[in-house]
């Protein structure tokens, strides 16, 4: 506070002559300042002037505050959205792996928000799905094991029947049941994830020839092997032959002859001239216990082929041939090795 300040504006002095106290707003170079003073006992007491915002200044301050608040809110929203998006992408990736059969995947359960609730629901679903599939595998394997002995007895008994058409029919039906039981047991073993490949170095062309002989034994069919280029591969010969035999058998059963097995290095393709694979099989792969387009088969042969390819670390794809038939390609490129040295 100042006493008898000489710097008081004239309008304020004039107001003090009419009243003991007064205020005055001074506009200097676009900046407003407020003066306050009073008189007492012939003396003038005043406060130093202090600036006050004008309308333009208030507008500018509001714009600045709004811009700053918007920027902070935007950055905070982006950070929150990025964090939530990362959690959602991780959840989607894990859910996709679960859908592809990796039932050991679980999502981290952190927090109590909606995403955490979704995470717990997905984990609960994965636990229930894994338990159900394990129970189904055990039931399927147990049924197959229980039926194995009586089916073997049925096959043996069929061999004792008198020669003729009834004997042929019983043997054929009993053989089909036996093969089905063996396929079910093989699927159960593959689902168990305990199968291990027995690695040897062999030629891809040799494996193709063996598979064709196994698939066409005791019958006359039009199946040929065409070798564009051969390659040495380090793999399990028995499993490769199993895959190719199933592919050739499926082509003969559901497609039309001629069936061609083409060896192009480490890629072995089996093609027929039938109606081709169904659209859902090309898109999603074979489904067990689902009949084909012609109502034949249970889908176990191709399911076993896919399972054996996974054990080998190979890639098996199902497409349509250029002429419209079915085409399955077993890719053993990752197993290519140099030919063994001659002794």
């Amino acid at each position: 506070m100042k006493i008898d300040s000489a710097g008081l504006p004239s309008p304020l002095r004039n107001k003090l002559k009419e009243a003991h106290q007064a205020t005055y707003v001074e506009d200097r170079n676009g900046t407003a300042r407020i003066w306050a003073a009073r008189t007492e006992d012939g003396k003038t007491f005043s406060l130093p002037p202090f600036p006050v915002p004008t309308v333009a200044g208030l507008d500018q301050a509001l714009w600045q505050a709004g811009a700053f608040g918007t920027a902070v809110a935007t950055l905070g929203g982006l950070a929150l959205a990025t964090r939530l998006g990362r959690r959602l992408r991780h959840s989607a990736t894990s859910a996709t792996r679960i859908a592809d059969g990796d039932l050991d995947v679980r999502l981290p359960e952190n927090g109590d928000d909606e995403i955490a609730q979704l995470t717990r629901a997905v984990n609960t679903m994965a636990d229930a799905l894994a338990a159900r599939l394990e129970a189904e595998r055990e039931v399927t394997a147990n049924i197959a094991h229980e039926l194995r002995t009586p089916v073997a007895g049925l096959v043996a008994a069929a061999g004792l029947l008198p020669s003729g058409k009834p004997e042929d029919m019983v043997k054929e039906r009993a053989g089909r049941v036996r093969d089905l039981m063996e396929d079910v047991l093989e699927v159960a073993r593959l689902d168990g994830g305990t199968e291990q490949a027995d690695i040897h170095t062999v030629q891809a062309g040799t494996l193709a020839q063996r598979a064709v002989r196994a698939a066409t034994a005791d019958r006359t069919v039009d199946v040929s092997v065409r070798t564009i280029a051969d390659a040495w591969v380090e793999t399990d010969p028995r499993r490769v032959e199993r895959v190719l035999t199933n592919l050739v058998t499926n082509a003969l059963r559901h497609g039309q002859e001629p069936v061609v097995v083409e060896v192009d290095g480490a890629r072995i393709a089996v093609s027929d001239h039938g109606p081709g694979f169904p659209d859902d099989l090309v898109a999603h792969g074979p489904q067990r216990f689902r009949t084909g387009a012609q109502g034949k088969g249970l889908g176990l042969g191709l399911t076993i082929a896919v399972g054996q390819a996974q054990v080998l670390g190979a890639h098996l794809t199902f497409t349509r041939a250029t002429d419209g038939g079915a085409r399955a390609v077993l890719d053993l490129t990752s197993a290519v090795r140099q030919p063994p040295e001659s002794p």
Side-chain angles (χ1 to χ4, degrees):
M1 181 176 289
K2 297 182 179 180
I3 301 175
D4 296 331
S5 173
L8 292 178
S10 298
L12 180 59
R13 292 181 181 275
N14 294 334
K15 287 186 177 182
L16 288 174
K17 294 178 181 179
E18 301 174 358
H20 291 292
Q21 60 183 15
T23 59
Y24 173 68
V25 179
E26 180 186 30
D27 187 359
R28 178 179 294 181
N29 297 326
T31 302
R33 300 193 303 171
I34 295 181
W35 294 81
R38 64 176 295 170
T39 59
E40 187 174 340
D41 298 331
K43 295 182 179 181
T44 302
F45 300 90
S46 63
L47 294 174
F50 57 92
V52 295
T54 61
V55 174
L58 285 174
D59 288 343
Q60 183 179 6
L62 289 175
W63 277 107
Q64 291 175 348
F68 178 76
T70 302
V72 171
T74 300
L75 292 176
L78 287 174
L80 180 60
T82 300
R83 179 172 176 269
L84 294 178
R86 187 183 301 111
R87 292 173 62 190
L88 287 174
R89 286 193 298 271
H90 181 63
S91 299
T93 301
S94 299
T96 301
R97 291 176 59 187
I98 292 173
D100 291 338
D102 189 357
L103 300 180
D104 294 330
V105 175
R106 294 296 182 271
L107 305 178
E109 300 181 8
N110 298 324
D112 293 322
D113 56 6
E114 288 77 5
I115 297 180
Q117 295 176 8
L118 174 63
T119 295
R120 286 190 286 270
V122 171
N123 287 342
T124 301
M125 177 197 68
D127 291 335
L129 181 61
R132 178 174 298 180
L133 290 178
E134 181 62 27
E136 290 180 356
R137 283 196 292 262
E138 291 180 359
V139 170
T140 302
N142 290 336
I143 291 175
H145 276 294
E146 292 295 328
L147 292 178
R148 199 173 191 180
T149 299
V151 168
L154 178 62
V155 173
L160 302 177
L161 293 175
S163 300
K165 188 174 181 180
E167 177 198 18
D168 295 337
M169 292 179 59
V170 172
K171 284 184 176 180
E172 191 269 338
R173 297 297 188 274
R176 290 181 60 182
V177 173
R178 177 194 58 200
D179 293 341
L180 176 59
M181 290 302 98
E182 295 298 331
D183 287 347
V184 170
L185 286 172
E186 187 169 357
V187 169
R189 289 194 298 270
L190 291 171
D191 286 342
T194 59
E195 294 288 282
Q196 298 290 331
D198 184 15
I199 303 300
H200 298 277
T201 302
V202 292
Q203 285 184 292
T206 302
L207 297 178
Q209 294 284 357
R210 293 177 184 172
V212 168
R213 286 196 296 269
T216 60
D218 301 329
R219 55 178 173 169
T220 302
V221 287
D222 190 355
V223 181
S224 60
V225 178
R226 183 174 61 186
T227 302
I228 299 176
D230 209 344
W232 288 89
V233 291
E234 195 173 76
T235 186
D236 188 332
R238 181 185 67 83
R239 296 183 189 276
V240 173
E241 291 175 25
R242 176 65 162 150
V243 172
L244 297 177
T245 300
N246 282 16
L247 295 179
V248 173
T249 301
N250 185 82
L252 292 172
R253 180 177 300 172
H254 300 287
Q256 294 179 5
E257 302 176 26
V259 176
V260 179
V261 180
E262 182 181 272
V263 180
D264 187 2
R267 291 168 54 88
I268 307 176
V270 179
S271 305
D272 63 51
H273 293 75
F277 290 122
D279 293 336
D280 59 340
L281 190 148
V282 174
H284 306 292
Q287 304 294 320
R288 69 189 66 177
F289 303 116
R290 177 178 295 180
T291 56
Q294 301 176 359
K296 297 185 295 184
L298 296 176
L300 293 182
L302 296 183
T303 300
I304 291 172
V306 171
Q308 295 289 9
Q310 291 175 348
V311 175
L312 294 169
H315 191 53
L316 181 59
T317 56
F318 301 93
T319 59
R320 289 188 175 87
T322 54
D323 55 1
R327 179 179 174 87
V329 180
L330 178 65
D331 192 344
L332 298 168
T333 304
S334 61
V336 172
R337 295 293 183 271
Q338 294 295 328
E341 297 181 359
S342 302

